[in-house]
Amino acid sequence: QFATNYQSGRNGMVHLFEWKWDDIAAECENFLGPYGYAGLQVSPVNENAVIGNRPWWERYQPISYKLNTRSGNEEQFANMVRRCNNVGVRTYVDVVFNHMAANGGTTGTGGSNADPSSKSFPAVPFSSLDFNPTCAITNYADPTNVRNCELVGLRDLNQGNSWVRDKIVDFLNHLTDLGVAGFRVDAAKHMWPGDLEAIYGRLNNLNTNHGFSSGAKPYIFQEVIDLGGEAISKSEYTGLGAITEFRHSDSIGKVFRGKDQLRYLTNWGTSWGFAASDRSLVFVDNHDNQRGHGAGGADVLTYKVPKQYKMASAFMLAHPFGTPRIMSSFAFDDTDQGPPTTDGHNIASPQFNSDNSCSGGWVCEHRWRQIYNMVAFRNAVGDAQLQNWWDNGSNQISFSRGSQGFVAFNNDNYDLNSSLQTGLSAGTYCDVISGTKSGSGCTGKTITVGSDGRANIYIGSSEEDGVVAIHVNAKL
Ligand code: AAO
C-alpha cells in the first residue's frame, strides 16, 4: 500500500485530468512510455451524474460503479490500462466512494437513473439504509461532523455498513483485475480511518498478468487536506497509505512566488511539516487548487504563471522528497468549466504540435520540455543522495544528486553567475531546461564541468527559465 509499483528506472506520475481513455492509451505509447514517465492518474472512471453545462466536477458525483463516463467505457478503459502497462506506465484511479451524487443528479453518464433526494441509487444498488443521516459539513473542528455529514450536499455513504463496504471492495478489486496499480482515494478525510482500514484490508493483490510482482498491493494515496488548524490530522491516515501532501503545494508556491527564500529549501521535507517521504504524494498544484477549490489558496502556482511553475516543478522533480505528481490541465477561465468538447458534451481529443506541446484547449504541462526533461533527470539520478548544497544567502541555490545530476535556480532579480560544485565528472553537458540533447549536440545551453567538478553557472534574471539542469545522460 505504500509502494508505488513503478517499473524500475521510471519515476514521475502525471494526472491526465479529464482525458479520454483512447487518448491516454495513445499517449502512453507515443509519449509517456518513451519519455520515462512511470504512472498516470485518471479522472474518476465510474458512472457520474450528468450535470447541466457539464462542469468538470460532475465526475465527483457517482451514480453507480459501472465504468462508463465521458472518458469512455469499460472496454476502452481496460484496453488503455493494458496498453499503458505494456509500455511500462502504471495507472492510478481516482476513486470516489465517500459519497454518491447530490440532489439534482438524476441521470448517469452510463444511462442509469437515480434519485439522490431519496438516496436511491438502483444501479449499485444503494438505498437510504446505506447512507448517514442528512446533515451538512459545517465544522472542521468536529471530526464527526466532517465524517458523518455531507460534503457540499453529496449524499454521504456509511462505510461502516457491510453492504456499502462490499460494493466498494468489489469496485476496487474489479479495477485491480483490469490491471491498475493503485488508487487516489477522494475525500478520504471525510471517512473514518477504521472503515478505510477494513476496506483496504480486503483489496486484492495486483494482477500479475500485467507485469506486477506476486503479492504486490495497490498503491494508495488518500486525499487528506491538512494544512493544520483542524481536528483531523493526516497522521490518522499515514498508517494506511500515502496522503496527498497539500503542505508541499502550499509551501512550494509561496517559495517560488518570492514569499519565502529559496535558501530555506535546504531542509525541504519533514522539517516543513510534511508527512514522511514515502507517505507523501507531492505536487505543485492539483485539479482543485489550480482553480480555487479545495485548499492552498492564492499562492498555488499553475500553468498561468509559467516561469515560476516550471521552476517549482523542476525543484520538485530534482529533489528526492516524496512521490511527485505532475498536473496536466485543460485551459480554463471559469473555475467550473469542463474540458474542451466537440459539441458541448463529448470530450475533444488533444492535438499535438511539432515541439511536443498540445493545442485544442489542452495545456499538457507534462509535454513541456522543462518538465518532461526533469522526469528524465529524476530517472537518471535514481536514489542518489542530495549533495553539494549551495545558496547565495537569498534566492539562488544549487545542489547535486550524488554524481548523477546537478540543478541550479535563480529567483533573485539579479543574475546568478558563479563557479559551483556540480558533483559531476568532467565534461560538457546539455542543459535539459533550455534544450535537449540531440545526437551529439544540444539544442540549448551547454555547461562545462572541470576536473574539480566545478562549472561556471549563469542564469540571467530575465531569462525565460530560472533554472538549469544537467545529468549523466545529458553528457555530450
Ligand atoms: C459541486 C458544486 C457545489 C454543490 C455540489 C453538489 O460546486 O456547489 O453543492 O456540487 O451539488 C468537486 C468540486 C465541488 C463539487 C463536487 C461535486 O470541487 O465544487 O461540488 O466536486 O461535484 C474539501 C474536501 C476535499 C474536496 C474539496 C473540494 O475535504 O475532499 O473540498 N476535494 C475532493 C475532490 C474534488 C471534489 C470532491 C472532493 C468531492 O478533489 O474535486 O469536489 O468528490 C478546508 C478543508 C478541506 C476542504 C476545503 C474546502 O480547506 O480543510 O478539507 O476540502 O476546506 O471546503 C485554507 C485552509 C484549508 C481549507 C481552505 C478552504 O486553505 O488552510 O484547510 O482554506 O477553506
Side-chain angles (χ1 to χ4, degrees), residues 24 42 51 82 88-89 97 120 124 142 170 177 192 238 248 273 285-286 298-299 359 371-372 385 411 455 474:
I24 294 179
V42 291
I51 293 181
R82 177 165 295 283
V89 184
F97 59 78
S120 169
V124 178
D142 174 5
D170 288 350
D177 288 345
W192 294 98
T238 46
H248 181 282
D285 60 334
N286 83 339
D299 292 329
S359 50
I371 292 181
Y372 65 73
Q385 296 284 309
N411 208 32

Side-chain angles (χ1 to χ4, degrees), residues 100-138:
M100 299 298 281
N103 284 353
T106 53
T107 308
T109 45
S112 303
N113 292 315
D115 180 19
S117 63
S118 64
K119 302 185 180 178
S120 169
F121 295 86
V124 178
F126 284 142
S127 73
S128 60
L129 301 173
D130 301 313
F131 292 82
N132 286 315
T134 305
C135 52
I137 294 177
T138 52

Side-chain angles (χ1 to χ4, degrees), residues 304-352:
K304 297 185 185 200
V305 270
K307 182 169 181 177
Q308 279 69 32
Y309 189 74
K310 288 180 282 184
M311 289 172 77
S313 299
F315 181 81
M316 172 178 77
L317 290 163
H319 198 281
F321 185 83
T323 298
R325 180 182 62 193
I326 292 151
M327 180 69 206
S328 187
S329 315
F330 58 81
F332 65 90
D333 298 312
D334 177 322
T335 60
D336 290 329
Q337 175 187 332
T341 65
T342 53
D343 57 0
H345 292 280
N346 290 293
I347 299 177
S349 297
Q351 280 138 39
F352 306 110

Side-chain angles (χ1 to χ4, degrees), residues 295-453:
D299 292 329
V300 172
L301 287 167
T302 72
Y303 74 89
K304 297 185 185 200
V305 270
K307 182 169 181 177
Q308 279 69 32
Y309 189 74
K310 288 180 282 184
M311 289 172 77
S313 299
F315 181 81
M316 172 178 77
L317 290 163
H319 198 281
F321 185 83
T323 298
R325 180 182 62 193
I326 292 151
M327 180 69 206
S328 187
S329 315
F330 58 81
F332 65 90
D333 298 312
D334 177 322
T335 60
D336 290 329
Q337 175 187 332
T341 65
T342 53
D343 57 0
H345 292 280
N346 290 293
I347 299 177
S349 297
Q351 280 138 39
F352 306 110
N353 307 318
S354 58
D355 65 354
N356 284 330
S357 65
C358 291
S359 50
W362 300 92
V363 180
C364 295
E365 295 89 327
H366 72 287
R367 278 174 164 267
W368 293 3
R369 182 189 65 240
Q370 297 87 342
I371 292 181
Y372 65 73
N373 272 349
M374 286 307 295
V375 169
F377 176 102
R378 196 172 184 84
N379 290 336
V381 302
D383 51 18
Q385 296 284 309
L386 192 157
Q387 288 171 338
N388 296 306
W389 180 273
W390 168 86
D391 63 63
N392 71 339
S394 105
N395 292 298
Q396 300 181 353
I397 60 168
S398 70
F399 60 89
S400 82
R401 293 292 303 279
S403 56
Q404 305 292 109
F406 168 84
V407 271
F409 297 82
N410 180 15
N411 208 32
D412 275 326
N413 56 10
Y414 50 91
D415 298 348
L416 186 170
N417 193 359
S418 298
S419 169
L420 301 175
Q421 180 54 248
T422 68
L424 298 186
S425 62
T428 303
Y429 294 81
C430 182
D431 165 34
V432 299
I433 299 295
S434 56
T436 291
K437 185 184 169 200
S438 144
S440 57
C442 173
T443 61
K445 300 180 192 174
T446 56
I447 292 174
T448 304
V449 175
S451 53
D452 58 356

